[in-house]
Amino acid sequence: MERELALEIVRVTELAALASAPWMGRGDKDGADGAATSAMRAMFDSVSIRGTVVIGEGEMDEAPMLYIGEAVGNRQGPEVDVAVDPLEGTEIVARGLNNALSVIAIASKGNLLHAPDMYMEKLAVGPLLKGKLSIELPLEENLRIAAEQLGKPISDLTVMILDRARHEKQINILRNSGVRIKFLSDGDVAGAIAPAFEEAGIDLYVGSGGAPEGVLAAAALRCLDGELQGRLMPANEEEYERCIRMGLKDPYKVLAMGDMVGNDDVIFAATGVTPGEILGGVRYFANQRAETQSVVMRAQTRTIRYVRSLHDLTKKPVLQARSPIFGLS
């Protein structure tokens, strides 16, 4: 893939973030998600790729656009797999909370796992703990090893986890171990990639979240020299059979980075919608201007770029079509 694609992709996440940000705190997660999805799909038409969505808004009969199998891009340039989450954290935006993102990963064709829409158990770490921990070990043992590798007491570790009832056992272990816990209300991708950003102050991410979000996070961690291990959690026979139909011969197999992101030719971009540990959210100024903060990364060169952009919203008619700011929602 050409390096110029990195900046093309970040333009797509910027527009999706700008489209969804006006819905912050309005209690309408579907409106926010629809605005982000429409804007992202429209912007893809200008990107020089022959892309196929492998992770998106659902199957063809479930989503009107950015559905799995949809062709995106202007049909020029490289043939790539595309994984998208136009608004990672719909509930976050609806409630005016932190860590909502618009995210995209692209990789050469056949190199992104087509993950089924179900839960995945996850263990994510940054470069210093890459290859040191295992999702198959007890959590207590992983905490002990992490503290040893980082050269600090367990009580100085900070672990991030989604605040969910299903995590009661893990939370009790974390509390009994004496670590600091950073809870997430939502935002599984942001949580999983946080350990790879030193400024986030997170040592590891544990717990379960969406499998598609796991692949997106793995793409980012490939660029950041971090690691995500995953294991699918089929809830019933139907979900188990769906894994089999999708080519996952052993749905309970531990998925390593290579299983989720096949090689180092991957680009990841994210734009903040609401403020978080890694990126600031969309900020509005006078005269219909807005600022976005994004990160765009390429695994092949391990280049990480932070992009601060100032936008004149009057020059972006795509945004006005579904924006509550313009009274046209």
Side-chain angles (χ1 to χ4, degrees), residues 49-289:
I49 55 172
R50 291 175 291 147
T52 301
V53 176
V54 298
I55 289 176
E57 292 294 278
E59 303 292 342
M60 187 183 300
D61 58 352
E62 299 171 350
M65 62 186 73
L66 295 180
Y67 53 81
I68 295 168
E70 183 177 4
V72 293
N74 64 10
R75 313 318 295 165
Q76 301 175 21
E79 195 171 6
V80 297
D81 287 343
V82 178
V84 301
D85 198 338
L87 181 55
E88 209 273 314
T90 56
E91 189 69 31
I92 292 175
V93 172
R95 297 174 60 195
L97 302 175
N98 290 345
N99 282 307
L101 299 172
S102 174
V103 296
I104 293 174
I106 63 172
S108 50
K109 187 172 177 60
N111 282 283
L112 288 180
L113 176 69
H114 180 184
D117 190 9
M118 63 181 63
Y119 283 132
M120 174 190 281
E121 181 186 0
K122 302 172 188 177
L123 171 64
V125 298
L128 295 178
L129 292 178
K130 178 181 176 183
K132 307 298 184 183
L133 310 183
S134 171
I135 200 170
E136 297 185 281
L137 288 175
L139 179 54
E140 301 94 326
E141 182 68 4
N142 277 323
L143 295 175
R144 184 193 66 78
I145 296 171
E148 182 179 285
Q149 291 293 324
L150 296 175
K152 58 186 178 182
I154 287 180
S155 58
D156 281 352
L157 291 178
T158 301
V159 180
M160 185 169 272
I161 189 169
L162 280 169
D163 189 6
R164 295 290 186 273
R166 66 178 183 269
H167 290 149
E168 180 180 2
K169 179 180 177 181
Q170 292 99 317
I171 291 168
N172 286 336
I173 291 171
L174 294 172
R175 284 180 168 153
N176 290 335
S177 297
V179 304
R180 292 186 290 259
I181 304 174
K182 183 72 177 287
F183 286 107
L184 277 178
S185 61
D186 288 282
D188 198 29
V189 173
I193 67 178
F197 289 90
E198 189 173 0
E199 61 270 29
I202 306 299
D203 294 304
L204 59 157
Y205 179 82
V206 300
S208 59
E213 288 83 358
V215 176
L216 279 160
L221 288 167
R222 174 76 84 182
C223 301
L224 293 160
D225 198 27
E227 180 183 24
L228 186 143
Q229 299 171 39
R231 181 161 44 198
L232 294 173
M233 303 171 66
N236 49 46
E237 187 65 24
E238 181 183 349
E239 289 193 351
Y240 183 91
E241 290 300 325
R242 187 176 182 212
C243 293
I244 300 297
R245 291 194 302 271
M246 294 172 68
L248 297 164
K249 296 179 180 179
D250 180 6
Y252 298 110
K253 171 192 172 184
V254 171
L255 298 170
M257 291 286 283
D259 297 311
M260 291 180 276
V261 185
N263 61 26
D264 281 343
D265 199 8
V266 58
I267 295 171
F268 176 90
T271 300
V273 180
T274 61
E277 276 77 18
I278 300 166
L279 295 169
V282 176
R283 298 175 61 202
Y284 292 97
F285 302 106
N287 301 321
Q288 295 192 42
R289 293 176 302 143

Side-chain angles (χ1 to χ4, degrees), residues 4-14 44 47 49 82 103-106 267-271 296:
E4 291 79 7
L5 271 179
L7 293 180
E8 288 296 302
I9 293 301
V10 81
R11 290 172 56 238
V12 180
T13 57
E14 284 178 346
F44 259 124
V47 180
I49 55 172
V82 178
V103 296
I104 293 174
I106 63 172
I267 295 171
F268 176 90
T271 300
V296 58

